[in-house]
Amino acid sequence: MSLAVALLGCARSIGPAHAQLPAPSEGPPTTIVEADLRASELATPEIGSVMPLHAGRVLLSTDGRPHWGMGPALYSDSSRYHEKWQIERAADPTALPPELRKFAGATLDLYGPGGRVCTVKIDALTVEAHLSMQYIDGQYELLDDTALWQALSNEADYEVAILVVGSFAADPRCATAVWARDASLPAPEVLVLAPVEDHAALLADEQRRALESDAGIEFTRAYQSYVVNPEYAEDAEPWSSVSAGRRQVWVDSAGAARFVAFSFGEYRFAPCHWLGPVHGHVRQIDEDRDTEADTSPNPLPVAVFDANGDGDYEFLFIEDSGEFDLVHVISATRSLRMEFTLPDNSHVWC
């Protein structure tokens, strides 16, 4: 059973994969890049330790199966413009694997950038399917619900994602939540954002350091090529704005700065426009070691926490890439890495 879908830098094919990576041995500063590990070296993260929220519900699995759904359609609709369909059925508790079935009625803690914001109880499990009908017999009109669900089982060349999600009662206290955790697990240590004006000197030094790094120099060169291209120059931000970046300082419960984060360039999704190169940078502020996470091309993290209680922190990133939301959980020491690709049919393309 897969909790995560590995799709860094690709939003077209969907397949199961997730990994908890071994912590590195003591050595020089660590830069987090794409892991190149054999399958035998991968372990499974504890299901329920980090679960992103998706359209107001908690994502339990991206590796669903059509036969896990039962009964009539709870919802079916199409974005029409780019032939994307969504259909949902209630989850069949007798068909779900035990590790998912246990979440029926489970209590979850929901977390935002500032820590836990509310506690909820899952009141229903749903199988949520997304597919593109353009490859199914040239069918562009919405099929009836039964035929639409049956299309999920065909061995055809079409995009499909079958999620298992848990819904819960709306609560205004949960409005800022971005991820969930099984409330039966020990509470994680969570870092919170500090006002940037309280750390102006630190941020000035770290901004310079980020742009002088190898990745920062590569980004600068890419921007210089982008801004002189007449096809893109009209949309380009001035270098003074780009190089200033967007900045964060994440602090612990004592108010001590633990991480700084920068995003350079424009991460906003803009159909029909390329807004230029982007670069993300996260660095740990620690007197005993110098751990650096090159998180490019991710935007700023939306949460920082220790998911598995090993004393090292994870960063949660959410990036709108158009048809999909890319959700990354990246550990500062590679002890945990999870990647999700969540369908988003709300965009109209040019």
Side-chain angles (χ1 to χ4, degrees):
M1 167 52 50
S2 170
L3 173 66
V5 170
L7 252 170
L8 183 62
C10 176
R12 301 303 293 174
S13 60
I14 297 180
H18 62 283
Q20 180 172 350
L21 310 181
S25 58
E26 293 296 325
T30 302
T31 297
I32 307 305
V33 295
E34 274 297 286
D36 183 18
L37 300 177
R38 296 184 300 273
S40 60
E41 296 176 296
L42 304 182
T44 303
E46 184 170 8
I47 189 168
S49 61
V50 182
M51 298 180 290
L53 298 184
H54 174 53
R57 297 184 287 190
V58 62
L59 175 69
L60 301 176
S61 174
T62 57
D63 192 27
R65 299 290 184 267
H67 70 274
W68 293 355
M70 67 176 186
L74 303 176
Y75 172 88
S76 63
D77 199 7
S78 168
S79 59
R80 307 290 181 181
Y81 185 81
H82 50 316
E83 293 81 44
K84 299 291 182 180
W85 272 258
Q86 178 177 339
I87 185 169
E88 301 178 11
R89 284 182 172 180
D92 182 352
T94 64
L96 287 177
E99 60 266 31
L100 295 180
R101 190 185 313 141
K102 72 176 185 179
F103 284 101
T107 301
L108 305 178
D109 289 327
L110 271 55
Y111 292 82
R116 189 176 69 84
V117 293
C118 63
T119 299
V120 299
K121 183 176 181 179
I122 293 180
D123 53 32
L125 299 181
T126 302
V127 179
E128 175 186 319
H130 299 255
L131 68 163
S132 172
M133 296 296 290
Q134 59 185 316
Y135 298 112
I136 303 178
D137 300 327
Q139 177 68 53
Y140 286 89
E141 297 300 324
L142 182 64
L143 300 176
D144 65 77
D145 293 342
T146 299
L148 192 61
W149 196 265
Q150 289 175 344
L152 298 172
S153 301
N154 293 342
E155 295 183 2
D157 181 19
Y158 59 87
E159 295 177 36
V160 60
I162 305 178
L163 315 178
V164 179
V165 298
S167 57
F168 46 85
D171 185 335
R173 295 174 299 173
C174 304
T176 59
V178 291
W179 67 286
R181 181 179 175 90
D182 187 339
S184 66
L185 297 176
E189 183 178 358
V190 177
L191 302 185
V192 299
L193 284 170
V196 293
E197 55 269 22
D198 293 350
H199 300 271
L202 171 65
L203 285 169
D205 288 342
E206 293 296 333
Q207 175 193 3
R208 183 175 60 255
R209 178 184 182 129
L211 290 174
E212 291 175 351
S213 68
D214 290 344
I217 293 171
E218 181 180 348
F219 164 73
T220 302
R221 289 171 178 166
Y223 177 85
Q224 290 170 344
S225 297
Y226 160 74
V227 77
V228 298
N229 188 319
E231 184 177 354
Y232 306 125
E234 185 176 340
D235 296 324
E237 291 185 76
W239 176 245
S240 59
S241 175
V242 172
S243 60
R246 282 160 285 278
R247 303 173 291 173
Q248 293 178 335
V249 179
W250 294 87
V251 301
D252 59 21
S253 58
R258 303 298 298 272
F259 290 92
V260 292
F262 294 87
S263 70
F264 301 101
E266 178 57 75
Y267 285 90
R268 175 174 53 89
F269 174 69
C272 312
H273 295 282
W274 183 51
L275 298 180
V278 293
H279 173 52
H281 180 92
V282 176
R283 200 175 81 83
Q284 184 170 358
I285 307 301
D286 194 314
E287 294 180 356
D288 299 323
R289 58 180 173 175
D290 187 5
T291 301
E292 192 163 308
D294 177 6
T295 64
S296 185
N298 292 294
L300 291 170
V302 298
V304 181
F305 47 85
D306 179 5
N308 48 2
D310 63 355
D312 294 307
Y313 293 93
E314 283 72 50
F315 316 107
L316 173 63
F317 302 92
I318 301 176
E319 181 180 356
D320 179 359
S321 67
E323 290 181 273
F324 295 89
D325 289 336
L326 305 181
V327 181
H328 303 158
V329 179
I330 303 177
S331 173
T333 60
R334 277 187 173 168
S335 60
L336 179 65
R337 185 175 189 122
M338 304 165 68
E339 296 166 358
F340 308 83
T341 301
L342 306 181
D344 180 358
N345 297 338
S346 63
H347 296 290
V348 175
W349 294 81
C350 55

